[in-house]
Amino acid sequence: MRSLVLVGHGSHVNSRAARSVYRVAEELRQLGSFSEVIECFWKEEPSLRQALRVTGSTDVTVVPFFLSDGYFTDTVIPRELGLGHQGPVPPEGIARVLGGKTVRYLPPYGSFPGLSDVLVACAREALPEANAEDVALVLLGHPSARRGGHLERHAQVIREARQFAEVQVLYLEDHLAHAPWLDVIQAEQVVVVPFFSDHALSEAAPPLSVSLGVQDGQAGGKSVTVAPPVGTHPGLARMLAGHALNATQDGFSGDADRVHLAAWTELMQLARRGLRLGEAVITPQGTLFDLRNALDEGRPSAELTTFVTVEGLRDTIRVDDSGAHRPVRTFRNLPRHWRAVFSEDDLPAAIHALYPATVEEAYSCGCHSLRSTPWPTTARRQTGIYARVQKAAPAQVEEVARRVCSRCLRTRLWASQPLPHTFLTGVPGAVPCAEACTYLIAAVREHLAERPAEENS
Ligand code: SF4
């Protein structure tokens, strides 16, 4: 058994920030190279701190869905996973044994050598009729892509293969539309391949063709075609799976994680009798299970939107009834007016999508093996813009937590709140919170920013 964890940044406010990670994870699942593919995020659930708990095997390969080295790949991800590593990750990755699991942490996918071929495929597919030897290939990166030099390395590999008339690297700087970026290009026909994971760097960003000064396929007297970003190419998942599998060729293959298996066995036994979990209710119907918001219990199915895929359910419950993003899935704003119908095989993935990590954490809580992390320990671990939360007084943390956590089903074990039962022992809304989530950490930081400095000391 082998688990692949795809790590994205996610967002506390924008539900679309995680879409590229979800898309590639779905493609990886369809390839079937790994027993399971799990998405994890810095600012959404399942969080990086929950990543190893929610994986079902003892062999875990972690791939950061980032194109460049940087703060997240070098500092945040290894720190949150507890790898005891800081700094650039070598090409072969780093391996650790954590809690009985062999964990391999690989560098960002932008460094994988196979990405050169995906970049070439992007360019060729954007200009299928053109003779590539007459075309200039421009690889366009965000300025942060300079870190690690991966973009330059891909350009050099493609240059040496002599498939294009020329290969240039361009960074998306301010005022690019007015800069003479085309002056250095000799060929009359140009294809630009964005070294991005998704179509927009932000919702507010203008289309790339506008940033590049391209109008009706022309710029500076040349024909310019902007290809879809490399992160959206259908060949990316296969390349990524192949690289991740190569990294596991060390003769080791994992077993089923015993605690994970026991937790889900218990959950399924309860589900077969009907179970209330948080704001949801699971009802067995023959060989299938009906999952819905408990407030819609008893409503005729015809009045609800029915989902039969985990992805359909996931995309629905990632926003509330007003369309607002739900970065913390245990917030008490589960949307209504839907039902999801799953077989016994698919029900665990559906519950994972609905309430990530709750089954594993509730089970461990019942076994008295869920270790909570007190606030001072969580705060000390923070770096970068979040390091300032270390200055928060206990009363300030409590003030923010009362406001934020009152919206959440979870009980704060990390603040010594008692939780004698969970939904596994008959209390639907009883879900443990082992440590402060990044949403709360961000709220504490904002709270401090609103206070004069002397109040924070
Ligand atoms: Fe919920 Fe608060 Fe725990 Fe975050 S810290 S998961 S908001 S209880």
Side-chain angles (χ1 to χ4, degrees), residues 262-439:
W264 282 98
T265 300
E266 182 166 333
L267 187 283
M268 291 305 294
Q269 283 169 357
L270 294 168
R272 286 183 203 111
R273 302 199 294 267
L275 176 68
R276 290 171 185 277
L277 195 179
E279 294 181 286
V281 58
I282 302 167
T283 309
Q285 293 180 343
T287 57
L288 300 175
F289 294 87
D290 177 292
L291 179 62
R292 61 177 71 184
N293 190 315
L295 295 174
D296 290 325
E297 195 174 14
R299 271 187 91 161
S301 300
E303 293 179 12
L304 306 172
T305 304
T306 300
F307 298 102
V308 294
T309 65
V310 173
E311 291 77 25
L313 169 67
R314 180 200 67 208
D315 292 345
T316 297
I317 56 88
R318 290 186 70 234
V319 294
D320 67 14
D321 278 326
S322 72
H325 183 39
R326 300 177 70 234
V328 181
R329 300 280 174 83
T330 42
F331 275 172
R332 301 168 195 269
N333 57 357
L334 185 67
R336 295 188 57 186
H337 311 302
W338 55 269
R339 70 189 272 262
V341 181
F342 294 105
S343 67
E344 186 154 327
D345 285 348
D346 290 338
L347 186 63
I351 296 172
H352 171 80
L354 185 68
Y355 287 131
T358 54
V359 173
E360 295 87 348
E361 291 177 348
Y363 178 82
S364 294
C365 185
C367 299
H368 306 288
S369 59
L370 182 65
R371 275 197 294 174
S372 60
T373 306
W375 170 263
T377 306
T378 300
R380 266 198 305 277
R381 210 175 63 231
Q382 303 309 309
T383 52
I385 61 170
Y386 294 106
R388 69 185 304 171
V389 303
Q390 295 163 13
K391 295 182 179 169
Q396 289 177 304
V397 176
E398 185 56 29
E399 181 186 340
V400 179
R402 269 206 296 270
R403 173 167 48 83
V404 171
C405 302
S406 61
R407 298 167 53 197
C408 184
L409 290 165
R410 291 185 184 258
T411 298
R412 289 182 286 139
L413 304 186
W414 56 266
S416 301
Q417 291 183 340
L419 187 70
H421 291 282
T422 70
F423 60 88
L424 293 176
T425 51
V427 183
V431 183
C433 176
E435 69 177 74
C437 65
T438 62
Y439 191 88

Side-chain angles (χ1 to χ4, degrees), residues 13 24 76 84 140 258 309 321 340 370:
V13 293
V24 175
V76 175
L140 175 68
R258 278 188 305 107
T309 65
D321 278 326
L370 182 65

Side-chain angles (χ1 to χ4, degrees), residues 12 24 27 42 56 80 92 100 139 141 164 192 260 284 296 312 320 332 337 355 374 403 406 422 433 441 454:
H12 288 155
V24 175
E27 291 168 3
W42 167 231
E80 296 296 295
E92 69 279 12
L139 302 179
F164 293 86
V192 179
H260 187 270
D296 290 325
D320 67 14
R332 301 168 195 269
H337 311 302
Y355 287 131
R403 173 167 48 83
S406 61
T422 70
C433 176
I441 294 168
E454 55 273 21

